[in-house]
Amino acid sequence: VGADITEFLAWFEQTEEDIIADVLKANEIFSAFEDLPFPTVVAINGICLGGGMEMSLACDYRVMADSAKVGLPEVKLGLYPGFGGTVRLSRVIGADNAIEWIASGSEKRSDAAFKDGAVDAVVPKDKVAEEAYKLLERLAAGELDYKERRAEKKGKLQLNAIESMMVFETAKGFIAGKAGKHYPAPVESVKTIQKHANFERDQAIAIEAKGFAKMAKTSVAQNLIGLFLNDQTIKKIAKQHTKQAKPVEQAAVLGAGIMGGGIAYQSAYKGTPILMKDINEDGIKLGLDEAAKLLTKAVERKKMDIKKMANTLNNIRPTLSYGDFGNVDVVVEAVVENVKVKKAVLAEAEKQLKAGAVLASNTSTISITELATALDKPEDFCGMHFFNPVHRMPLVEVIRGEKTSDATIATVVSYAQKMGKTPIVVNDCPGFLVNRILFPYFGGFAALLRDGADFENVDKVMEKFGWPMGPAYLMDVVGIDTGVHAQAVMADGFPDRMKQDYRSAMDVMYEEKRYGQKNDAGFYTYELDKKGKQKKVSDPKAHELVAGVAQSQKTFEDQQIIDRLMIPMCLETVRCLEDGIVETPAEADMGLVYGIGFPPFRGGALKYIDDMGVAAFVELCDSYAELGKLYEPTARLREMAKNNEKFYA
């Protein structure tokens, strides 16, 4: 399983020179193993990643179980291999294959590993040791020349000047385009292989070690390693929650629209049969069409075969009645985001359930405690907020109402995990965790447009900053009608900082029935490209509408745009932590990364504050004080600044 990542952050606090010395010391062990005066074979029977794979590459031959996985995933932590991986793999499978393995950081199954030549044999798991010993005997008997193979692995890369230029220069351009400027490790890994191509093992390893240390000192590596550790933290917290979980053998979803269909697909795909109830056939058709569309795409991408597709579809049972709800363990309500409708549907469904069955609402903003007032057993009810699109977004917020029992939380957390999701338990408040933090960001955006900013420029600046999409495009994807409704809920909940005393660009888009991607017109218009995918197109009419609500015509520097959007988001994250909506910085930051695509290389909102320095962040907030409460630091944050504290020790 490779190196112990929990040690990395402390290790990387050393100087580059000290990191290089440590890496070279470890490499001496690998090289001494490689230089043993007899043949070596490694038997790979499970997960063999990172340093584990580098150890196996130091052997002469590799025998792999058909169920095992190998790979060098270090780029996912902002690094690249440091125990000889770039050196040995490039000489074992060729530079082009090694570049693909290392720069993508992908895990390889046995068939791909054998095809590329990274392993010498693939056998059933129970035969791995036996076959490895047989191979060793053949080597000892002189049937195979391990010395020649070892010499090749320890030598220079066999590429002439033209081949070298074609392999490396083409790869650097392609990978830079894929990885983007915020993630330097993939391109640096290619440059490193290029640098050591004409050197033998020991000099090549010294070149790799120098580059590894350089990557280890980047903020990108520190933040990505931090996220990995945060992910481990939230998994441990979830494990604590699931101790009281009841088994979920049968689920149900109420409301068979796009969201209901997505939930049904995800549950069925991961093996939990689900009833999908709606009040009419059109709704059922919409939900089934959504599930079928996702399954078809999975088959096209070779993620599943036709048999798995059929089994998944068979696990979704559409119904117009509550007939079989007496057998259901968990019901997820996913009807329209309206408090009266939700209360009526939840109360009706509760009467159909067996004792101990759990009822959950997929609401994105409505108070769970408020919805629970319609129920006889509020202790068996909680929130289960999925993010759209359900099949792609990893996060599920599990929301605890005032009367929700621990057993209910445990069961829903367990079901979310069974669905392949990352659950984070949050306490009840308007917007819960993610939307409560997102809407101050949108509030900062609305005020920017009020003051004359160009929304397309704002989008470009924030995408350059690292967001997958800017705020105008994101609002179109979320749905401007949904956004306006949620904004009203947030304004009621937090009027001091989220109530807007002006007509915003979102308001005017809503009035003009420009709802975004769902009806092909919002801040942008949407057309189908040659592949049938929606693409956004600049629209003069949208600019005209936004100009109509602008109260001035200021121009903004890129950093001002970043500050005016990021400060409200970061401050609301601080408030969520202080208010006990989440218990740890790890949960808050992972909620943003998994829920709304916060730039991973920046580590999350609280890590962003830490990296800037709490005192410097408070000073920055104060420089925007005229913009109101959204930009006002909490008393506790000021105290942290004074005491030189951090969110992450």
Side-chain angles (χ1 to χ4, degrees):
V1 293
D4 183 353
I5 295 166
T6 61
E7 295 176 356
F8 278 18
L9 290 177
W11 178 31
F12 294 166
E13 282 177 12
Q14 299 183 107
T15 64
E16 275 189 45
E17 290 71 25
D18 286 341
I19 295 168
I20 291 168
D22 284 348
V23 169
L24 290 176
K25 203 170 176 182
N27 269 295
E28 283 176 17
I29 300 166
F30 282 58
S31 295
F33 187 85
E34 188 169 41
D35 293 339
L36 287 169
F38 40 72
T40 54
V41 176
V42 63
I44 302 168
N45 68 345
I47 301 295
C48 181
L49 301 173
M53 181 60 181
E54 287 173 293
M55 179 68 195
S56 82
L57 288 166
C59 287
D60 296 319
Y61 285 80
R62 284 156 292 285
V63 176
M64 183 176 180
D66 53 11
S67 58
K69 283 183 185 175
V70 293
L72 296 170
E74 287 85 351
V75 293
K76 293 178 180 176
L77 298 177
L79 305 165
Y80 59 72
F83 293 159
T86 69
V87 178
R88 293 187 178 92
L89 189 66
S90 57
R91 283 138 178 89
V92 168
I93 66 174
D96 47 359
N97 283 332
I99 286 167
E100 190 274 319
W101 278 53
I102 294 166
S104 70
S106 56
E107 296 178 9
K108 300 289 183 182
R109 295 186 183 279
S110 56
D111 53 349
F114 182 71
K115 180 172 169 280
D116 287 347
V119 298
D120 301 287
V122 174
V123 298
K125 187 175 179 178
D126 59 354
K127 299 282 187 190
V128 172
E130 183 186 328
E131 294 300 324
Y133 279 115
K134 281 183 185 173
L135 177 56
L136 193 61
E137 284 164 9
R138 290 178 65 202
L139 288 161
E143 287 181 43
L144 298 165
D145 188 353
Y146 76 90
K147 288 180 181 175
E148 185 184 345
R149 167 179 277 221
R150 190 183 287 186
E152 278 177 18
K153 185 168 36 134
K154 290 167 62 177
K156 299 173 184 178
L157 254 178
Q158 300 300 307
L159 291 173
N160 64 38
I162 293 171
E163 287 169 336
S164 181
M165 187 187 73
M166 287 181 70
V167 167
F168 295 116
E169 297 310 319
T170 306
K172 279 189 283 190
F174 176 75
I175 289 162
K178 279 271 192 188
K181 63 173 186 166
H182 298 301
Y183 297 91
V187 172
E188 287 298 321
S189 71
V190 181
K191 288 179 181 175
T192 294
I193 297 172
Q194 186 174 19
K195 279 178 194 169
H196 63 54
N198 288 317
F199 292 96
E200 293 185 351
R201 182 192 68 191
D202 292 348
Q203 284 174 288
I205 281 172
I207 291 166
E208 178 190 86
K210 193 176 176 185
F212 176 87
K214 179 184 162 191
M215 289 295 98
K217 295 299 287 181
T218 62
S219 62
V220 176
Q222 286 157 24
N223 286 335
L224 292 178
I225 292 163
L227 285 185
F228 175 87
L229 299 176
N230 284 352
D231 188 59
Q232 299 300 301
T233 298
I234 62 175
K235 282 185 168 73
K236 281 177 193 165
I237 292 168
K239 195 174 179 183
Q240 290 300 314
H241 281 301
T242 57
K243 285 181 177 174
Q244 298 181 47
K246 298 171 190 170
V248 178
E249 307 295 341
Q250 176 70 55
V253 62
L254 299 170
I258 299 292
M259 204 70 183
I263 292 166
Y265 160 83
Q266 192 66 28
S267 183
Y269 175 58
K270 290 294 183 177
T272 304
I274 189 163
L275 297 170
M276 186 169 64
K277 184 190 178 304
D278 206 281
I279 54 173
N280 60 55
E281 292 285 358
D282 288 344
I284 293 287
K285 185 176 184 309
L286 188 62
L288 285 175
D289 284 350
E290 177 67 9
K293 181 180 82 178
L294 296 172
L295 287 163
T296 303
K297 280 183 182 171
V299 171
E300 284 169 1
R301 290 193 194 118
K302 300 192 173 162
K303 298 276 182 187
M304 68 166 73
D305 56 22
I306 296 292
K307 187 180 176 185
K308 169 85 172 166
M309 178 181 177
N311 287 341
T312 303
L313 270 177
N314 286 338
N315 270 340
I316 302 172
R317 195 140 49 95
T319 179
L320 295 171
S321 75
Y322 284 108
D324 292 325
F325 270 59
N327 301 319
V328 169
D329 301 304
V330 171
V331 178
V332 183
E333 167 273 307
V335 302
V336 64
E337 190 77 350
N338 176 296
V339 68
K340 286 182 182 174
V341 175
K342 282 188 182 289
K343 278 185 173 182
V345 169
L346 288 165
E348 184 181 58
E350 185 186 42
K351 292 178 173 58
Q352 314 298 323
L353 302 179
K354 66 186 179 185
V358 167
L359 196 52
S361 175
N362 178 49
T363 178
S364 56
T365 54
I366 301 167
S367 164
I368 295 303
T369 301
E370 172 60 26
L371 290 175
T373 59
L375 300 174
D376 294 329
K377 295 177 184 171
E379 66 276 11
D380 293 340
F381 174 65
C382 70
M384 189 181 192
H385 177 213
F386 292 86
F387 291 78
N388 203 13
V390 175
H391 67 289
R392 279 216 195 116
M393 300 300 281
L395 182 67
V396 170
E397 287 179 308
V398 179
I399 305 110
R400 187 192 292 275
E402 276 179 20
K403 296 183 178 176
T404 305
S405 72
D406 289 344
T408 294
I409 293 293
T411 302
V412 173
V413 165
S414 176
Y415 179 46
Q417 288 179 320
K418 205 173 171 188
M419 290 174 83
K421 299 299 177 188
T422 299
I424 292 179
V425 177
V426 304
N427 283 317
D428 194 21
C429 70
F432 318 127
L433 175 69
V434 174
N435 279 330
R436 176 172 163 180
I437 293 169
L438 178 61
F439 274 84
Y441 174 83
F442 282 145
F445 175 57
L448 265 175
L449 301 195
R450 175 201 65 196
D451 295 342
D454 173 80
F455 66 81
E456 286 199 52
N457 183 50
V458 172
D459 272 6
K460 283 175 188 157
V461 169
M462 296 316 289
E463 284 161 17
K464 201 172 162 188
F465 178 80
W467 285 95
M469 57 186 76
Y473 188 18
L474 178 58
M475 186 61 84
D476 277 359
V477 170
V478 168
I480 288 166
D481 52 339
T482 305
V484 168
H485 166 77
Q487 169 60 35
V489 173
M490 302 309 294
D492 285 345
F494 309 102
D496 65 325
R497 58 186 183 276
M498 296 200 203
K499 202 167 188 66
Q500 294 169 354
D501 59 359
Y502 56 91
R503 187 161 165 258
S504 74
M506 278 69 88
D507 293 331
V508 77
M509 292 291 173
Y510 180 69
E511 289 158 15
E512 293 288 321
K513 295 187 168 53
R514 295 174 69 101
Y515 299 149
Q517 279 190 343
K518 64 177 71 174
N519 68 349
D520 297 329
F523 284 98
Y524 301 91
T525 50
Y526 294 87
E527 300 170 357
L528 294 181
D529 64 15
K530 289 175 185 174
K531 292 181 180 176
K533 285 186 176 179
Q534 276 186 321
K535 66 170 183 179
K536 66 182 169 76
V537 179
S538 183
D539 182 13
K541 174 71 175 169
H543 284 276
E544 191 184 308
L545 290 168
V546 173
V549 293
Q551 295 175 15
S552 63
Q553 291 303 313
K554 293 180 192 171
T555 54
F556 295 92
E557 298 290 328
D558 288 3
Q559 193 57 49
Q560 287 176 299
I561 290 169
I562 292 164
D563 292 344
R564 286 186 58 157
L565 291 173
M566 293 304 296
I567 290 170
M569 171 174 273
C570 291
L571 284 175
E572 204 60 40
T573 310
V574 170
R575 289 188 185 100
C576 283
L577 191 63
E578 289 180 13
D579 292 350
I581 302 307
V582 283
E583 289 181 12
T584 63
E587 290 167 288
D589 279 346
M590 291 309 286
L592 295 180
V593 171
Y594 285 158
I596 52 174
F598 191 102
F601 70 94
R602 296 194 185 274
L606 299 176
K607 188 64 171 64
Y608 181 69
I609 296 174
D610 271 0
D611 285 349
M612 189 183 296
V614 178
F617 180 74
V618 166
E619 196 178 321
L620 182 67
C621 296
D622 288 341
S623 71
Y624 288 94
E626 78 280 359
L627 292 172
K629 289 277 188 183
L630 266 184
Y631 294 80
E632 187 179 296
T634 64
R636 171 70 188 121
L637 195 65
R638 289 190 186 280
E639 190 185 317
M640 286 178 69
K642 195 176 167 185
N643 298 333
N644 202 24
E645 292 177 61
K646 298 174 100 176
F647 290 101
Y648 292 94

